[in-house]
PDB file of all heavy atoms in Angstrom:
ATOM      1  N   HIS A  58     -60.432  23.127  67.046  1.00 89.00           N
ATOM      2  CA  HIS A  58     -59.585  23.590  68.138  1.00 89.00           C
ATOM      3  C   HIS A  58     -58.125  23.737  67.731  1.00 89.00           C
ATOM      4  O   HIS A  58     -57.479  24.741  68.038  1.00 89.00           O
ATOM      5  CB  HIS A  58     -59.729  22.635  69.317  1.00 89.00           C
ATOM      6  CG  HIS A  58     -59.133  23.164  70.573  1.00 89.00           C
ATOM      7  ND1 HIS A  58     -58.065  22.570  71.198  1.00 89.00           N
ATOM      8  CD2 HIS A  58     -59.435  24.267  71.302  1.00 89.00           C
ATOM      9  CE1 HIS A  58     -57.759  23.273  72.271  1.00 89.00           C
ATOM     10  NE2 HIS A  58     -58.550  24.303  72.363  1.00 89.00           N
ATOM     11  N   HIS A  62     -55.751  27.279  67.526  1.00 91.00           N
ATOM     12  CA  HIS A  62     -54.443  27.517  68.165  1.00 91.00           C
ATOM     13  C   HIS A  62     -53.385  27.778  67.110  1.00 91.00           C
ATOM     14  O   HIS A  62     -52.533  28.661  67.292  1.00 91.00           O
ATOM     15  CB  HIS A  62     -54.035  26.328  69.025  1.00 91.00           C
ATOM     16  CG  HIS A  62     -54.707  26.332  70.358  1.00 91.00           C
ATOM     17  ND1 HIS A  62     -54.164  26.900  71.469  1.00 91.00           N
ATOM     18  CD2 HIS A  62     -55.905  25.839  70.731  1.00 91.00           C
ATOM     19  CE1 HIS A  62     -54.975  26.770  72.494  1.00 91.00           C
ATOM     20  NE2 HIS A  62     -56.048  26.111  72.069  1.00 91.00           N
ATOM     21  N   CYS A  68     -58.023  31.332  72.923  1.00 82.00           N
ATOM     22  CA  CYS A  68     -58.875  30.171  73.223  1.00 82.00           C
ATOM     23  C   CYS A  68     -59.051  29.990  74.714  1.00 82.00           C
ATOM     24  O   CYS A  68     -60.074  30.301  75.279  1.00 82.00           O
ATOM     25  CB  CYS A  68     -58.284  28.932  72.594  1.00 82.00           C
ATOM     26  SG  CYS A  68     -59.313  27.470  72.746  1.00 82.00           S
ATOM     27  N   HIS A  69     -58.026  29.505  75.389  1.00 77.00           N
ATOM     28  CA  HIS A  69     -58.107  29.270  76.823  1.00 77.00           C
ATOM     29  C   HIS A  69     -56.781  29.567  77.478  1.00 77.00           C
ATOM     30  O   HIS A  69     -55.804  29.809  76.824  1.00 77.00           O
ATOM     31  CB  HIS A  69     -58.527  27.832  77.115  1.00 77.00           C
ATOM     32  CG  HIS A  69     -57.728  26.786  76.391  1.00 77.00           C
ATOM     33  ND1 HIS A  69     -56.533  26.324  76.837  1.00 77.00           N
ATOM     34  CD2 HIS A  69     -57.957  26.176  75.204  1.00 77.00           C
ATOM     35  CE1 HIS A  69     -56.064  25.424  75.973  1.00 77.00           C
ATOM     36  NE2 HIS A  69     -56.901  25.324  74.960  1.00 77.00           N
TER      37      HIS A  69
HETATM   38 ZN1   ZN B 101     -57.630  25.870  73.088  1.00 64.62          ZN
END
Side-chain angles (χ1 to χ4, degrees):
H58 192 244
H62 280 268
C68 186
H69 50 84

